Amino acid sequence: MTVTQQTYARRGVLRLGTRRSLMATTQSQMVADRLTALTGTPVELVGVTTFGDVTKAQLSQLGGTGVFVSALRDKLIEGEIDFAVHSLKDLPTAPDPHVVVAAVPPRDDPRDALVGPVELAGLPAGARVGTGSPRRVAQLRALRPDLEYVPIRGNADTRIGKVGSGELNAVVLAAAGLTRIGREAEIAEVFEPDDMLPAPGQGALAVECRAGDADLIELLAALDDPRTRAAVTAERTVLAALEAGCSAPVGAFATDAGHILNLTAAVVALDGTRSVRKSTAGDLSAAMELGRELAAAMIAEGAGTLMGERTH
């Protein structure tokens, strides 16, 4: 047992803050179990209700950024929990000096998935497809402009239930989330990044703790996957450099081949008719610089104009 592990063994059980939804508690429990397996440190989950969980407004109206995060961060800073687990795509790109992302565990499937009776191409003209994401709507319209895209809220079970009830013909959700809650059998199609770029950081988790807690930062580092961290850093840097929130029609996806990181990003007009899509590659250790360079190239090709259309 390391000195850090001994420190936390003396402290007792670590308190892990999580949203109360099935998906959030499931992925938080995954992190808790992994941390205990790696370090021997016991962990208990502490449920926290966030603004994003209780508001009835569409996330695109709220800007999306931080609505699922701020309450957890408040509990963390106040010392009511020791660390928190977030879906990385929900994290604001602007750093908070009070907290640090101590670990990014290995990423699950980053792709989007369609839940319904048939694949997207098989849906009849005028079919109603539910999603709360402007990014998904923009890219879906590019693939099937003849369908009706309906904004929806609620947890995954609620959204899937709208298909079963006949209110919607299909819904689009993150493949990783569906797998985590055991609903992968209901997936009719998983979209490859060539057809639908995922949200920056989609499929990955962020493990966050107080910036000054050096012992805990060291302990949580056991969960970190450097390759996943590099990929999501590049993706989220594009988002930050475009000055876009997590509800914006921006997709980004990075993969690595050895020490080389391959990064693709796109800004898509909400009607799906126009887009700026660029790719680049560089050293894995320069993920942030790679993201900034790609965003600058996209802005030079008119991405800023498409982003402006989103807000007017």
Side-chain angles (χ1 to χ4, degrees), residues 109-191:
D109 193 335
R111 299 172 296 175
D112 292 297
L114 183 83
V115 173
V118 295
E119 295 185 356
L120 188 72
L123 291 172
R128 292 164 54 84
V129 178
T131 173
S133 162
R135 172 191 61 82
R136 288 175 179 147
V137 170
Q139 296 184 90
L140 287 164
R141 281 182 175 145
L143 297 170
R144 286 292 307 270
D146 59 324
L147 303 183
E148 180 183 355
Y149 297 102
V150 181
I152 55 172
R153 286 292 317 275
N155 59 39
D157 288 331
T158 299
R159 298 185 189 203
I160 294 169
K162 294 180 183 296
V163 179
S165 69
E167 181 180 342
L168 298 171
N169 298 96
V171 294
V172 180
L173 298 161
L178 290 166
T179 299
R180 287 170 189 156
I181 64 170
R183 303 296 293 267
E184 65 269 28
E186 294 165 82
I187 295 174
E189 179 178 8
V190 176
F191 297 101

Side-chain angles (χ1 to χ4, degrees), residues 1-274:
M1 183 179 287
T2 68
V3 172
T4 297
Q5 289 170 13
Q6 290 172 348
T7 298
Y8 276 91
R10 288 194 299 270
R11 286 196 192 185
V13 178
L14 285 176
R15 300 160 299 169
L16 193 171
T18 176
R19 292 170 58 200
R20 299 179 187 273
S21 70
L22 173 62
M23 192 174 298
T25 55
T26 299
Q27 62 196 28
S28 293
Q29 191 63 58
M30 289 165 46
V31 170
D33 292 345
R34 182 63 176 159
L35 184 64
T36 300
L38 289 172
T39 69
T41 308
V43 179
E44 66 177 8
L45 267 54
V46 177
V48 176
T49 300
T50 71
F51 178 67
D53 295 315
V54 297
T55 181
K56 301 299 184 184
Q58 293 297 322
L59 296 188
S60 58
Q61 297 171 336
L62 300 170
T65 304
V67 297
F68 294 119
V69 173
S70 58
L72 282 165
R73 283 184 169 173
D74 289 345
K75 298 290 186 184
L76 192 57
I77 292 165
E78 292 162 5
E80 294 186 28
I81 58 175
D82 298 301
F83 67 114
V85 171
H86 311 281
S87 292
L88 189 54
K89 66 183 179 63
D90 293 334
L91 276 190
T93 54
D96 184 322
H98 300 99
V99 298
V100 62
V101 176
V104 179
R107 187 184 215 168
D108 292 325
D109 193 335
R111 299 172 296 175
D112 292 297
L114 183 83
V115 173
V118 295
E119 295 185 356
L120 188 72
L123 291 172
R128 292 164 54 84
V129 178
T131 173
S133 162
R135 172 191 61 82
R136 288 175 179 147
V137 170
Q139 296 184 90
L140 287 164
R141 281 182 175 145
L143 297 170
R144 286 292 307 270
D146 59 324
L147 303 183
E148 180 183 355
Y149 297 102
V150 181
I152 55 172
R153 286 292 317 275
N155 59 39
D157 288 331
T158 299
R159 298 185 189 203
I160 294 169
K162 294 180 183 296
V163 179
S165 69
E167 181 180 342
L168 298 171
N169 298 96
V171 294
V172 180
L173 298 161
L178 290 166
T179 299
R180 287 170 189 156
I181 64 170
R183 303 296 293 267
E184 65 269 28
E186 294 165 82
I187 295 174
E189 179 178 8
V190 176
F191 297 101
E192 295 301 327
D194 285 347
D195 293 322
M196 186 179 296
L197 277 174
Q202 186 162 301
L205 301 174
V207 182
E208 209 170 50
C209 69
R210 287 179 292 278
D213 200 336
D215 287 339
L216 185 53
I217 291 170
E218 182 183 340
L219 187 82
L220 295 175
L223 298 168
D224 194 62
D225 180 61
R227 292 184 179 278
T228 297
R229 185 184 280 269
V232 300
T233 295
E235 295 165 12
R236 285 167 50 76
T237 300
V238 172
L239 193 66
L242 290 172
E243 298 183 349
C246 64
S247 65
V250 176
F253 183 50
T255 59
D256 69 89
H259 293 289
I260 301 301
L261 196 64
N262 298 292
L263 174 64
T264 299
V267 174
V268 186
L270 284 176
D271 63 5
T273 61
R274 292 154 297 136

